[in-house]
């Protein structure tokens, strides 16, 4: 359990930016998407699951209608909103406001909707405050790598794994983040070097 909590915390430190650059419009869309990933909802249930300040935005209903299909009430079944199929690509397995039960339910719905048994890849956000840049590098520190290696080896060996599926999922996410973000960092460094090269004055002859 401690390893699972530790790896989950590392994932959030590396990628969660709700308070570090994400706009209210982006946060509102994210809240709506993940409420509907966990289950189809009535308007009132959606409004209760989203922070009040976001439900009061003038574009709240417009955003909801852009990501979800409305199904009117039929017989005893109440009206509900269903997440549009193309929006499932925005599903973030490590959405921080999910309970473990909601996370599991959303995961099962994701796999059913996408007709896959794979887990979703990590989600990143372009809006990132300068103070948060570089936090992703926590995935490459020695204690994290040691934990990831232990979990992967445990699941690779024969017999009953000592670590849970939640540990394995978090470990795979951390590996994916390390590969993705390291590649992005390398590209940024190359661009900076090219810019510096263009701005550097020509040598005197």
């Amino acid at each position: 359990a401690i390893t699972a909590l530790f790896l989950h915390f590392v994932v959030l430190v590396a990628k969660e930016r709700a308070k570090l650059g994400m706009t209210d419009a982006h946060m509102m869309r994210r809240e709506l998407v993940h409420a509907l990933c966990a289950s189809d909802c009535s308007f009132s249930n959606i409004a209760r699951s989203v922070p009040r300040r976001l439900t009061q935005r003038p574009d709240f209903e417009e955003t909801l209608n852009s990501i979800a299909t409305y199904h009117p009430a039929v017989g005893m079944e109440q009206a509900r909103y269903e997440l549009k199929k193309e929006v499932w690509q925005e599903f973030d397995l490590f959405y921080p406001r999910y309970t473990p039960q909601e996370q599991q339910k959303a995961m099962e719905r994701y796999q059913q909707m996408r007709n896959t048994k794979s887990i979703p890849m990590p989600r990143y956000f372009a809006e990132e405050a300068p103070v948060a840049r570089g936090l992703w590098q926590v995935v490459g520190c020695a204690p994290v790598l040691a934990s990831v290696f232990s979990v992967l080896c445990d699941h690779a060996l024969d017999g009953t794994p000592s670590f849970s599926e939640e540990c394995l999922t978090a470990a795979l996410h951390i590996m994916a983040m390390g590969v993705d973000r390291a590649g992005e960092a390398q590209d940024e460094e190359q661009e900076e070097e090219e810019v510096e090269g263009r701005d550097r004055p020509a040598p005197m002859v």
Side-chain angles (χ1 to χ4, degrees):
I2 293 177
T3 302
L5 290 173
F6 171 65
L7 294 179
H8 191 107
F9 174 73
V10 170
V11 171
L12 295 182
V13 169
K15 74 174 190 62
E16 181 56 35
R17 299 295 178 265
K19 301 295 184 181
L20 294 171
M22 194 180 295
T23 64
D24 278 354
H26 197 156
M27 290 178 65
M28 177 181 64
R29 181 181 177 94
R30 187 187 187 205
E31 292 277 354
L32 289 171
V33 167
H34 287 84
L36 291 166
C37 283
S39 67
D40 295 351
C41 297
S42 65
F43 183 86
S44 58
N45 285 339
I46 292 172
R48 283 196 294 268
S49 68
V50 176
R52 185 175 177 80
R53 66 180 180 84
L54 297 179
T55 63
Q56 294 176 337
R57 286 178 56 89
D59 56 345
F60 178 78
E61 289 193 41
E62 179 184 354
T63 302
L64 174 59
N65 290 327
S66 72
I67 66 168
T69 301
Y70 175 73
H71 298 281
V74 178
M76 298 296 293
E77 185 177 320
Q78 66 177 349
R80 61 187 174 87
Y81 285 86
E82 178 185 12
L83 193 66
K84 293 180 179 178
K85 187 174 182 179
E86 63 270 20
V87 184
W88 275 94
Q89 64 183 355
E90 299 180 29
F91 172 55
D92 179 5
L93 181 59
F94 286 87
Y95 173 63
R97 278 164 48 81
Y98 273 159
T99 65
Q101 294 77 15
E102 289 171 335
Q103 183 189 50
Q104 181 61 35
K105 188 175 181 180
M107 176 68 173
E108 292 172 356
R109 283 166 55 86
Y110 169 86
Q111 292 176 331
Q112 181 181 7
M113 185 62 62
R114 306 276 288 191
N115 194 26
T116 180
K117 292 185 178 180
S118 64
I119 61 174
M121 293 298 289
R123 291 278 305 162
Y124 308 112
F125 302 95
E127 298 90 347
E128 187 171 54
V131 69
R133 291 172 186 162
L135 284 178
W136 67 268
Q137 296 179 40
V138 68
V139 303
C141 70
V144 174
L145 291 178
S147 297
V148 169
F149 183 75
S150 296
V151 172
L152 295 179
C153 287
D154 179 61
H155 278 265
L157 299 175
D158 293 334
T160 303
S162 301
F163 294 106
S164 65
E165 288 293 327
E166 290 77 11
C167 283
L168 179 61
T169 299
L172 292 173
H173 261 64
I174 289 170
M175 285 185 61
M177 282 191 290
V179 172
D180 290 347
R181 299 307 294 264
E184 292 175 9
Q186 187 175 13
D187 292 341
E188 291 174 0
E189 290 177 1
Q190 290 177 350
E191 290 177 4
E192 291 176 359
E193 290 175 359
E194 291 175 0
V195 170
E196 291 176 359
R198 290 195 297 268
D199 295 341
R200 190 178 299 120
M204 299 295 290
V205 178

